[in-house]
Amino acid sequence: MAIQVSKKGVRRFLLAKSGLNHFGTLGPSMATALRQLECVQLDPVAIIERNHHLVFFNRLETYSRTELERELWDGQGFEYFANAACLLPIEDYPIFKTKRRASAQTWAEERHLYKSTERKILQALADQGPLPSKAFRSDKKVVGAWDHPTHATTKETSYVLRMLFETGDIQVCGRQGSERYFALSRDVIPAAFQQEAEEISEEEARERLVHKYLRAYRLIDERDQRFGWQRMTAQERKTWVDAFISDGTLISLEIEGVAGHYMILQEDAEQLLAFEAGNERNNEAVSFLPPLDNLLWRRKRLEELFDFTYRWEIYTPKHKRLYGPYTLPILLGDQLVGRADPFFDREKGRVDIHLYADPSREWSKTRLERVERGARRLGKRLGAEDVRVI
């Protein structure tokens, strides 16, 4: 039997699980927040700051950029592909076994072409320990992931580092800003997790990864092509969902005004119903969400629950953009009310933030003042001396 709820109740439940706008809290530390979020997406774009840092800025009052770097250096986290390239708690290393093996199969056809470079990289890491990516140089170019098929512009060493990382032979063991440091997996993954990864069956690893996905998303939609963070057909997704509903893991929802079929974990039902029944006063908190924030992963969900359409236009030609290359959705209370287009001039120590009300939302004078105050707080959190809200 489905639970009947409103959009507002579901939105507040999601925000509580996401640790946003004080509907719920994560932490107190970055490590604890990471475990509650399940993973945080990594991205190198730093027009104002990198996505992973902005995710934690919005959730932790005292977060500093060095915490994430320390998490890797201390062996408490690792990087791999979940929703995309993500930072993950170290104890999840074993359940990515099937994905590492799938990557090994994908690379198998061409791996022999790079045996010499692979051997040199592995030997250097064995002899010297962790090394930055810039330590591996090559004049030879190959066709990389972002290259045109007829234009080889990627350094062979960079290509092989990527291959070894995806197959699990090496790990990102540390970061200093945008610089990644690599090490042999056997040297940095704790022995207990290496052993578990050896002993766990692929079937169990696959199932535990699907459960991790469910906890990360909390509001489940079998239409999501990233379901379970593994390659699946629509029928395979349906089979998983039907089984979870049958055994009580998932409960169906009927959301007022939403045609799409959503589900939640049975363990979350009580909390969702509490938000549905609650009569809390309006939340006036403001957050500026980075393009790859956990809440934004499923764009269809934003449209159906928040009545908000969002497109990240960084790869859209400038003349075709509606907004800027790094537009941040503005979360006010439990609603997405507009967009902020920021730019950080680091030489001048100045952040300019252009605000745009969503066409479907009216901004009163009070609402505008709240958003402007939030924008100034964001600029100061980024380290700007001068914040201009336009």
Side-chain angles (χ1 to χ4, degrees):
M1 183 176 178
I3 297 175
Q4 296 183 342
V5 287
S6 65
K7 286 185 183 181
K8 183 176 183 178
V10 174
R11 287 199 303 266
R12 293 188 167 203
F13 161 77
L14 272 180
L15 293 173
K17 289 299 186 182
S18 296
L20 287 166
N21 280 9
H22 309 303
F23 287 101
T25 57
L26 303 181
S29 69
M30 174 250 167
T32 304
L34 176 63
R35 283 164 175 78
Q36 290 174 283
L37 290 170
E38 298 293 337
C39 63
V40 169
Q41 197 160 334
L42 298 161
D43 192 78
V45 177
I47 291 176
I48 57 167
E49 184 50 273
R50 293 175 180 82
N51 180 81
H52 36 286
H53 293 313
L54 291 170
V55 167
F56 289 118
F57 280 161
N58 276 325
R59 291 163 171 87
L60 300 171
E61 289 293 331
T62 60
Y63 172 77
S64 67
R65 298 165 180 84
T66 57
E67 286 186 65
L68 187 144
E69 295 173 359
R70 189 164 60 247
E71 185 83 353
L72 283 170
W73 286 115
D74 291 348
Q76 298 303 306
F78 76 106
E79 296 185 15
Y80 204 61
F81 302 98
N83 197 62
C86 287
L87 178 68
L88 296 138
I90 191 64
E91 59 267 22
D92 288 328
Y93 177 79
I95 68 175
F96 284 84
K97 176 178 184 173
T98 55
K99 295 197 73 169
R100 288 190 292 270
R101 289 197 171 175
S103 290
Q105 292 173 359
T106 299
W107 283 100
E109 285 189 12
E110 60 175 308
R111 188 163 182 169
H112 69 280
L113 300 173
Y114 310 106
K115 278 297 182 185
S116 176
T117 301
E118 176 183 336
R119 202 161 39 242
K120 289 176 182 177
I121 290 173
L122 295 177
Q123 190 62 56
L125 294 175
D127 293 342
Q128 302 176 55
L131 292 170
S133 54
K134 65 183 178 184
F136 303 100
R137 299 178 180 178
S138 174
D139 293 329
K140 185 176 180 181
K141 299 291 194 296
V142 299
V143 176
W146 300 103
D147 294 341
H148 187 280
T150 61
H151 292 82
T153 62
T154 300
K155 288 193 305 181
E156 184 179 78
T157 47
S158 298
Y159 194 66
V160 175
L161 283 170
R162 176 188 163 206
M163 177 186 73
L164 293 171
F165 171 70
E166 291 185 3
T167 57
D169 294 272
I170 63 175
Q171 298 292 314
V172 176
C173 65
R175 283 178 175 261
Q176 289 185 359
S178 61
E179 185 73 54
R180 295 183 299 170
Y181 282 71
F182 290 96
L184 296 177
S185 295
R186 67 171 185 257
D187 291 342
V188 293
I189 299 298
F193 297 130
Q194 292 187 53
Q195 183 175 350
E196 184 181 353
E198 285 293 320
E199 296 175 352
I200 189 175
S201 69
E202 292 202 23
E203 182 179 357
E204 183 183 351
R206 182 176 171 83
E207 183 171 355
R208 284 170 59 184
L209 185 54
V210 172
H211 278 275
K212 182 174 178 66
Y213 165 91
L214 300 180
R215 295 192 303 273
Y217 273 73
R218 293 294 173 176
L219 192 69
I220 312 306
D221 173 9
E222 71 179 49
R223 296 169 296 176
D224 183 9
Q225 294 185 2
R226 292 182 177 180
F227 183 91
W229 293 329
Q230 300 166 73
R231 291 181 181 176
M232 294 187 194
T233 64
Q235 182 56 51
E236 286 173 324
R237 296 197 299 270
K238 184 177 186 304
T239 299
W240 277 101
V241 168
D242 288 347
F244 285 141
I245 291 176
S246 179
D247 68 16
T249 299
L250 293 177
I251 298 175
S252 291
L253 300 179
E254 290 181 5
I255 305 174
E256 183 181 2
V258 176
H261 178 215
Y262 288 95
M263 296 144 283
I264 59 165
L265 289 162
Q266 187 277 334
E267 64 195 56
D268 288 336
E270 185 176 344
Q271 186 177 11
L272 171 59
L273 291 173
F275 277 107
E276 181 66 19
N279 293 310
E280 302 90 348
R281 48 185 271 179
N282 286 336
N283 187 323
E284 299 177 354
V286 177
S287 294
F288 295 80
L289 305 180
L292 301 175
D293 189 273
N294 298 44
L295 186 70
L296 306 182
W297 284 346
R298 183 76 173 121
R299 300 290 200 255
K300 186 66 175 177
R301 191 168 72 175
L302 287 185
E303 294 171 5
E304 294 183 333
L305 300 178
F306 290 83
D307 302 305
F308 187 84
T309 299
Y310 177 63
R311 299 290 181 268
W312 188 20
E313 299 181 300
I314 193 167
Y315 300 114
T316 302
K318 187 174 182 178
H319 68 281
K320 293 185 177 181
R321 290 176 187 156
L322 295 178
Y323 302 98
Y326 207 74
T327 304
L328 313 179
I330 303 170
L331 180 68
L332 174 62
D334 65 3
Q335 297 182 28
L336 291 166
V337 299
R339 296 160 178 80
D341 182 14
F343 178 74
F344 195 170
D345 187 332
R346 290 175 174 81
E347 287 187 5
K348 296 180 179 178
R350 189 179 87 194
V351 169
D352 292 329
I353 302 177
H354 293 257
L355 300 178
Y356 302 93
D358 191 78
S360 65
R361 306 286 197 278
E362 273 193 38
W363 281 22
S364 64
K365 181 179 178 182
T366 301
R367 174 170 283 188
L368 176 60
E369 289 174 350
R370 289 175 188 155
V371 174
E372 287 180 340
R373 285 197 299 270
R376 292 189 183 93
R377 285 196 301 271
L378 170 65
K380 293 298 183 183
R381 192 79 187 272
L382 294 170
E385 297 177 4
D386 182 14
V387 182
R388 302 187 182 188
V389 181
I390 305 166

